[in-house]
Amino acid sequence: MSLLQLKKMVKRFGGLVAVNNLDLDIPEHVIYSVIGPNGAGKTTVFNCITGFYKPEGGDILLNGDSLVGLSPDRIARKGITRTYQNIRLFSNMTTLENILVGLHPHLTTNVFGAIFRPPGVRQEEAQAIAEARRLLQFVGLAGQGDLLARNLPYGMQRRLEIGRALANRPRLLLLDEPTAGMNPRETEDMTRFIRRLRDELGITILLIEHQMRVVMGISEKVSVLDYGEKIAEGTPTEIQNDPQVIEAYLGRGSSAAEVSTFTRTAA
Amino acid sequence: MSTSRATRKSTMPQWLKVALQIGLVGGVVVVIIALEGMIQAFNTRDIIGSVVAMSQALLLIVFLGTAYIAIIRSKLTDFRRLLVVAVVVGLVSSALLVALILLGQVLDLGNVFINATPALYDLLTFKLGLAAGSIVLLVVGGVSGAAAAIIHALPTRWRRSVIWGLVAVFAFGLLRDLIVTTFGGLTFLTGLLFLPNGLSVPGAITLFVIFVALDYFWSQRGAQIRSGIGARKPVRSSLLIGGIIVLLLLPQILGLYFSEVLDNVGLYLLMGLGLNIVVGFAGLLDLGYVAFFAIGAYTVGVLTSPDFGHASILTSWWFALPFGVIAAFLAGTILGIPVLKMRGDYLAIVTLGFGEIIRLLALSDFLKPFIGGAQGVNDILKPTIGPIQISNPPEFYYLILAGCLLVAFVAIRVKDSRLGRAWMAMREDEDVAQAMGINLVTTKLMAFALGASFGGLSGAIFGSKLTSIYPQSFNFFVSINVLSLIIIGGMGSIPGVVVGAIALVGLPEMLREFSDYRYLFYGLALVVMMLTRPEGLVPAATVKRELHEEEPQPETLGEAATAMPK
């Protein structure tokens, strides 16, 4: 059954149609990728799903309930969390604090609890810290809870951002170019890590990617956006050989050599 | 053409150029000090009795400071050349002052600068007459420069100690009255160190030697002692108990006037801790914070003053207090609602307007029947504890101290909680905080409301302390003072707020004759702080790291970015 459905979703900025009549159907427990050239509207789709943009038309359904018009924090509480293409950590907070902020919706302490700290609050706080440490370990940052997020190496910042998203306990995790700026080795590590998220934690993943190689390796299903429209949908192999996709990526009239290079890197 | 100019310039050595430039800067500074009237105003207080007046000390500080900056800027290592640089700086600075004096003889500068009077020139020439005085002034400049060079040439450890010694002599001279009052019982000691006006010469020398020795000792053994204190719990807790005892005894030791100063520091500290929640924790720049101070004061005032028809509803200040705090809390919430969507500059402007609106409402004839208009609120009740009425400054000190401890406790507890983390996340990146499931509406409103209620508490005490309040007491400068003290202390840092309140509220109160220059010093302090120590005097741990730690290079970013398909 499908977890998230986009139905004829339209997003315009003034006269520019960023996303046009987009239909997506994301089943539970899959890794679903959205690819497309720069400016195709991929990140706009993320912003619509997470509530930062309000689509002009169509609907977004999570388990059949519409998300349109809900504020981003309400949508986060319903189980959709995202990461960002340009990493956006709370850079002057420690790694542990970053994760604890991710746990925020699942904690209940209010201002009076914070001041008087009754046993229930102390217990909740201790449990939260324990869970945050477990998550740090899961993302490979064990024992580094006191480091400032900004002082982590690049690859670790990516992982911390995912860790923070996991603390939100999402059912659907949106990853915006998680391998951007990574070398091939790091990319491979990240790909393996994403697969673990699905296999071990059972989280459905919607992935925006630029690098064909990553997408083809891990996703069950791929949609291709170009100029805000879905031009293809299918399994990685189907997408790879779709002439329309090749045209969108390489331009019309590309030479046979270029095309074969494309399909080869994609594989 | 540009090349020829460059070659011509290069005939003058770089170090000489630096010396001349910085000398000119120093000269301009001392001329401004003279024309601003600070020389006359500060001449009334002596640092070392009858030898060095505060005004002369100020000039010396500028000479020494500029020479020292030039020494560092010139990047020379050869001592003789450094000496030349420093002396040139001192000479150029003092020469500008001499030029001012000479110009004053020819032109009547008093038309433009009201402080440029013969009295000023007399003071600047040490009352020695024009020629001799000018020469002495130049010599003082040159010698100050040389002194700076010598201090710089000392081994690092001694240099620090000597600078501390000089600072100590200056501070003891400046704060003579406070120190004599505090240790009034020890007349043999204060008699040795002090004259009726400032330090005695032997006193100054003794102090200098003691502080150099102390600092030297500390630099040798300090780390050891500190780790000893940190490690042993009994030592730490006895220090804490000692601190509390000193806090409790302070008004008894210091007497009426300094208790009054402490009361003001405490009232500003309360406001500082409140604004620190809004600005420091949650990152919401509020320029109208005085509004909440006013609302607290007016609520308690109106409820307990017999001026109004509905008087004596509340027969005790204590019953009115919660209303004052709650009113401020609600006002914080009400201000928060319209500014929820605003950020940065826009938020600052709206809050600024809010502060002024509250003041104008208090002043308005429209609300006069209810809150007194320009006549203000009079005969506000004073707090009582059992049969005792809290009325004089030392008694209020205890009330304010209790308030400060309570508020600091709340601030510390909240900072380190789910709510405090949400505030910090919001300060770091509002969008991401929201995407993590933080409800921005309640989180922001809680920051505004909690911060406002601290201000309301401060206002409630303020009103009853003065028994009368007027709209003028709640002007924009109160907001600016509170903001300045948390910036100088260190944003988001609770000890920083304490230090900031003492530095910006306590010190100027002790140096009453400088009150005309209070805002000049505020401005100067803010500029200097922003340039040299933007994180504040006692920074919050994380902010300190943010501003001074090297950013790690994302090593793989460069190569991978180029490898990405386009």
Side-chain angles (χ1 to χ4, degrees), chain A residues 18-19 34-47 85 176-177 207-210 225 228 249:
Chain A
V19 179
V34 176
I35 62 170
N38 278 329
K42 304 180 299 273
T43 301
T44 307
V45 173
F46 268 25
N47 280 330
Q85 184 181 346
D176 196 344
E177 300 207 16
L207 183 73
I208 289 182
E209 250 309 334
H210 211 110
L225 289 192
Y249 262 83

Side-chain angles (χ1 to χ4, degrees), chain B residues 261-300:
Chain B
V261 173
L262 283 177
D263 287 356
N264 284 329
V265 171
L267 289 173
Y268 269 97
L269 178 56
L270 279 175
M271 284 194 273
L273 288 168
L275 188 62
N276 189 44
I277 287 182
V278 186
V279 181
F281 293 172
L284 305 161
L285 184 53
D286 183 347
L287 293 183
Y289 190 67
V290 67
F292 309 118
F293 183 60
I295 287 167
Y298 265 94
T299 308
V300 171

Side-chain angles (χ1 to χ4, degrees), chain A:
Chain A
M1 95 161 262
S2 59
L3 181 64
L4 185 83
Q5 279 178 297
L6 270 61
K7 290 190 169 166
K8 301 233 168 294
M9 193 190 82
V10 181
K11 176 69 205 169
R12 278 186 286 267
F13 296 105
L16 177 83
V17 183
V19 179
N20 197 15
N21 286 332
L22 180 66
D23 285 308
L24 283 184
D25 203 322
I26 297 151
E28 224 158 337
H29 300 304
V30 300
I31 298 179
Y32 192 111
S33 293
V34 176
I35 62 170
N38 278 329
K42 304 180 299 273
T43 301
T44 307
V45 173
F46 268 25
N47 280 330
C48 290
I49 297 173
T50 51
F52 275 94
Y53 294 159
K54 196 171 176 227
E56 270 78 35
D59 209 350
I60 302 170
L61 304 171
L62 180 73
N63 274 335
D65 298 333
S66 176
L67 299 178
V68 175
L70 294 184
S71 64
D73 53 298
R74 293 278 304 280
I75 293 174
R77 281 159 193 267
K78 281 182 173 281
I80 299 182
T81 310
R82 69 173 293 187
T83 66
Y84 297 83
Q85 184 181 346
N86 47 336
I87 304 170
R88 285 171 80 172
L89 288 168
F90 305 120
S91 47
N92 297 311
M93 297 170 78
T94 65
T95 55
L96 190 74
E97 284 170 338
N98 268 274
I99 306 259
L100 286 171
V101 172
L103 281 168
H104 183 94
H106 303 288
L107 305 178
T108 56
T109 307
N110 61 14
V111 64
F112 297 108
I115 295 168
F116 298 112
R117 291 200 189 158
V121 169
R122 284 171 196 271
Q123 199 187 342
E124 183 186 87
E125 193 72 7
Q127 281 169 356
I129 290 172
E131 183 171 350
R133 289 202 195 287
R134 272 200 301 279
L135 277 166
L136 279 178
Q137 190 170 10
F138 184 77
V139 299
L141 281 164
Q144 307 197 48
D146 291 334
L147 284 182
L148 283 190
R150 64 179 306 151
N151 291 344
L152 290 177
Y154 185 77
M156 282 295 127
Q157 291 195 2
R158 282 261 173 232
R159 283 170 169 251
L160 177 59
E161 203 189 21
I162 294 177
R164 183 182 67 186
L166 292 178
N168 242 296
R169 298 179 199 158
R171 304 176 60 188
L172 174 66
L173 179 60
L174 313 187
L175 299 175
D176 196 344
E177 300 207 16
T179 64
M182 286 187 170
N183 64 29
R185 229 202 75 139
E186 288 172 318
T187 304
E188 205 173 297
D189 283 350
M190 182 53 81
T191 317
R192 214 174 300 130
F193 181 66
I194 293 170
R195 201 177 286 127
R196 272 182 71 198
L197 298 181
R198 195 264 311 266
D199 295 347
E200 292 178 22
L201 304 176
I203 298 170
T204 309
I205 288 168
L206 177 58
L207 183 73
I208 289 182
E209 250 309 334
H210 211 110
Q211 299 190 51
M212 279 292 206
R213 193 168 0 120
V214 178
V215 175
M216 298 308 158
I218 57 172
S219 15
E220 277 88 31
K221 222 172 168 193
V222 181
S223 277
V224 187
L225 289 192
D226 193 21
Y227 293 109
E229 310 233 10
K230 185 164 77 180
I231 56 171
E233 185 175 12
T235 62
T237 358
E238 286 164 12
I239 292 300
Q240 223 164 292
N241 299 310
D242 190 308
Q244 246 188 309
V245 177
I246 296 170
E247 191 188 304
Y249 262 83
L250 297 176
R252 196 182 298 274
S254 309
S255 69
E258 278 175 311
V259 172
S260 79
T261 319
F262 173 74
T263 43
R264 220 177 324 127
T265 37

